[in-house]
Amino acid sequence: MLPATFKLCAGISYRHLRNMTGLRRTAAVALSHELEKLALVGPGPSRWINQVRRRSSLLSSRLDEKPYNEVELSYIKQGEEALKKSMSILEEQDGWKVEIVAANGDKVLSKVLPDIGKVFKLEAVVERPLDSVYGELVDNMEKMGEWNPNVKEIKILEKIGKDTVITHEKAAETPGNIVGPRDFVSVRCSKRRGSTCILAGMSTRYNAMPEQKGYVRAENGPTCMVLHPVLEDPSKTKLTWLLSIDLKGWLPKSIINQVLSQTQVDFAKHLRNRVTMSSGSLSLC
């Protein structure tokens, strides 16, 4: 039976058969069953059997995944494009101008780009491990309004696969109502590359979330946050946040620049308070 099973698996390597999902699933299941029988016979090349069994199991699980429709693929592509553009901006080290240097070392820089306009970059160190910071920014995204006074609400409208979400964000009014209520609809993409986490996003259209009464629909992106352990002390996390926003409306550029750069400094402060408080709560459990 085993030779016949391998012939079945080899057969799906031909393109016209590889597209037949049912046949691929049958081959994966048949191979898994034959490997189980072979493993029970007695001592033998168990190492390669286990390797093939794991790959067969992975193939079966992937075949059971729901395929994406055209709209979902479009959102995934937008998120990946935001990540690509954001990282390209951050990798270019020349031309950045210092806007703010806080007493604790947090720094905000800016640069004017031809096709985008003025972008801002926060560089900060958070005194908590990467997983704690990542969990707060991604896993607990909808709770951001609890600890960041610049955010009124974040709601996940749709999840697409493991890495992509569509969100609706309402910004809190600024002190003195300098900038009125704004909201955003964004596609967000999260990727992990070794010890580095990248959270990227940009504005998008989502039919189920039209413009809201009382809010100006602003636009953002490409934007991203890059997280990685501090080389000298892995218990701390280096945060780099690229911010690109068009607030819309008739706002003087001087006010916009002041608000956005201060928003980044405030964000770092509130994030520190949140992850420190969360770690303290866990230690008491």
Side-chain angles (χ1 to χ4, degrees):
M1 180 62 183
L2 187 57
T5 302
F6 276 112
K7 287 181 181 179
L8 175 61
C9 294
I12 65 170
S13 65
Y14 292 97
R15 180 169 296 181
H16 68 284
L17 294 177
R18 189 165 59 241
N19 294 329
M20 298 174 65
T21 305
L23 182 59
R24 294 167 63 196
R25 184 178 291 107
T26 300
V29 172
L31 178 58
S32 178
H33 287 168
E34 290 303 315
L35 290 172
E36 291 290 346
K37 292 178 183 178
L38 189 57
L40 292 173
V41 170
S46 59
R47 183 176 180 182
W48 72 265
I49 289 176
N50 288 333
Q51 289 177 344
V52 176
R53 184 188 296 138
R54 284 194 295 269
R55 291 177 181 272
S56 174
S57 176
L58 179 60
L59 174 61
S60 296
S61 64
R62 286 180 175 174
L63 290 173
D64 289 333
E65 290 180 358
K66 177 185 175 183
Y68 300 118
N69 60 41
E70 186 175 341
V71 175
E72 290 170 334
L73 286 173
S74 173
Y75 285 129
I76 291 173
K77 184 177 180 180
Q78 289 177 47
E80 292 176 345
E81 185 66 21
L83 187 149
K84 181 180 178 181
K85 287 183 178 179
S86 298
M87 294 306 296
S88 176
I89 295 170
L90 289 177
E91 287 167 1
E92 180 55 59
Q93 299 297 319
D94 296 333
W96 291 97
K97 172 187 173 184
V98 176
E99 295 278 345
I100 298 177
V101 178
N104 62 1
D106 291 352
K107 185 186 298 184
V108 176
L109 304 98
S110 67
K111 176 192 282 192
V112 178
L113 300 176
D115 300 330
I116 299 174
K118 194 163 189 176
V119 298
F120 296 83
K121 178 174 68 170
L122 168 71
E123 296 178 345
V125 173
V126 181
E127 294 78 10
R128 293 297 302 162
L130 183 146
D131 286 343
S132 298
V133 181
Y134 180 87
E136 203 60 60
L137 295 177
V138 179
D139 300 334
N140 297 328
M141 182 189 307
E142 291 186 304
K143 296 182 179 180
M144 189 177 292
E146 297 177 3
W147 56 268
N148 186 353
N150 292 316
V151 174
K152 185 175 182 179
E153 179 185 65
I154 294 183
K155 183 178 180 181
I156 296 176
L157 303 176
E158 182 179 348
K159 292 184 179 181
I160 306 171
K162 298 185 303 178
D163 303 328
T164 307
V165 295
I166 311 297
T167 62
H168 179 232
E169 311 107 48
K170 292 181 179 178
E173 294 182 12
T174 57
N177 200 26
I178 296 176
V179 179
R182 258 62 176 175
D183 74 339
F184 306 83
V185 173
S186 308
V187 55
R188 300 179 182 225
C189 170
S190 59
K191 298 287 185 181
R192 194 155 191 163
R193 299 174 178 173
S195 60
T196 299
C197 296
I198 306 173
L199 322 172
M202 64 185 296
S203 287
T204 191
R205 294 183 180 276
Y206 193 74
N207 291 336
M209 183 54 68
E211 294 190 14
Q212 305 292 292
K213 184 177 180 180
Y215 286 85
V216 175
R217 178 63 51 87
E219 295 183 357
N220 61 14
T223 182
C224 78
M225 293 186 183
V226 181
L227 310 170
H228 62 83
V230 174
L231 185 61
E232 300 80 8
D233 186 354
S235 66
K236 299 178 181 179
T237 301
K238 173 69 180 295
L239 164 66
T240 303
W241 176 19
L242 176 71
L243 178 64
S244 170
I245 285 186
D246 181 357
L247 292 174
K248 302 298 184 180
W250 301 95
L251 295 171
K253 289 185 177 180
S254 59
I255 292 180
I256 294 175
N257 295 342
Q258 180 182 351
V259 168
L260 294 182
S261 56
Q262 188 60 47
T263 294
Q264 289 192 297
V265 172
D266 292 343
F267 175 84
K269 178 181 70 175
H270 299 311
L271 177 61
R272 285 192 186 93
N273 292 339
R274 176 67 171 190
V275 294
T276 300
M277 183 174 62
S278 298
S279 62
S281 299
L282 289 174
S283 64
L284 293 175
C285 295

